Amino acid sequence: NTYIIFTADHGLAVGDHGFMGKQNMYDRSIRVPFIITGKGIHKGVINDEFIYLQDAMATSLDIAKAIKPDHIDFNSVLSLAKGKQKKSCYKEIYGAYLKNQRMIRSKEFKMILYPTIGKIRLYNIKNDPDEMVDLAENLAYRNIIKKLFKQFLKLQKETGDLLDVTKTYS
């Protein structure tokens, strides 16, 4: 009847993309380890669905069969870990760091915004998982950026992020 969740806050860049800390939106820094074991969870199964680190609390409450308080905005991943749920409840992942960086990541693309300097980066995560080829200046991807930006604004509002980026990227 014991469950163990192993996770960490997030990774250090250790030189990836020229960064040494963890204050960036590249996958090497934002993708956290999340390993869970316990009753009903099959060993050795790797699931690449989107989750947030904060889902650990909601998952712990679910395991304890406790009622999740309304102020917890994250979700249990227990059904996902047990294979009862196939898809994440998150279509995209949202990220923010101070006033300097914002990010939205879908299964196929990641858009990083640098509001203080007005810069956008766009990566095709599916074809370029190391995020080496910035597609933001390629006119063929303008519609992708517009679509991601629209979804970004929705997630930004949902998370209560009050930084106004519309003036910079309108």
Side-chain angles (χ1 to χ4, degrees), residues 25-27 30-32 48-55 74-75 77 88-96 102-112 125 148 151-156 158-159:
M25 296 293 159
Y26 291 101
D27 270 8
I30 65 165
R31 296 210 47 196
V32 301
D48 203 28
E49 289 297 310
F50 287 147
I51 65 169
Y52 286 95
L53 173 62
Q54 295 91 331
D55 289 334
F74 296 92
N75 300 291
V77 298
S88 171
C89 54
Y90 306 109
K91 189 175 176 188
E92 294 98 3
I93 291 291
Y94 178 84
R102 296 295 184 271
M103 180 270 309
I104 183 169
R105 186 190 193 284
S106 69
K107 291 285 185 180
E108 192 170 355
F109 290 97
K110 178 191 286 179
M111 182 177 69
I112 303 173
I125 296 297
L148 283 172
Q151 189 60 24
F152 166 84
L153 292 174
K154 181 181 174 212
L155 289 173
Q156 185 183 37
E158 286 175 11
T159 62

Side-chain angles (χ1 to χ4, degrees), residues 31-47:
R31 296 210 47 196
V32 301
F34 195 100
I35 301 167
I36 182 170
T37 186
K39 184 178 179 182
I41 298 175
H42 300 288
K43 293 179 182 184
V45 175
I46 296 173
N47 187 321

Side-chain angles (χ1 to χ4, degrees), residues 10-16 19-22 24 28-29:
H10 50 82
L12 288 172
V14 193
D16 187 59
F19 295 107
M20 288 306 294
K22 45 188 173 180
N24 68 80
R28 292 233 187 354
S29 290

Side-chain angles (χ1 to χ4, degrees), residues 109-111 121-123 133-136 141 144-145 148:
F109 290 97
K110 178 191 286 179
M111 182 177 69
R121 296 202 185 281
L122 178 70
Y123 299 99
V133 180
D134 181 4
L135 303 169
Y141 290 91
I144 298 290
I145 290 173
L148 283 172

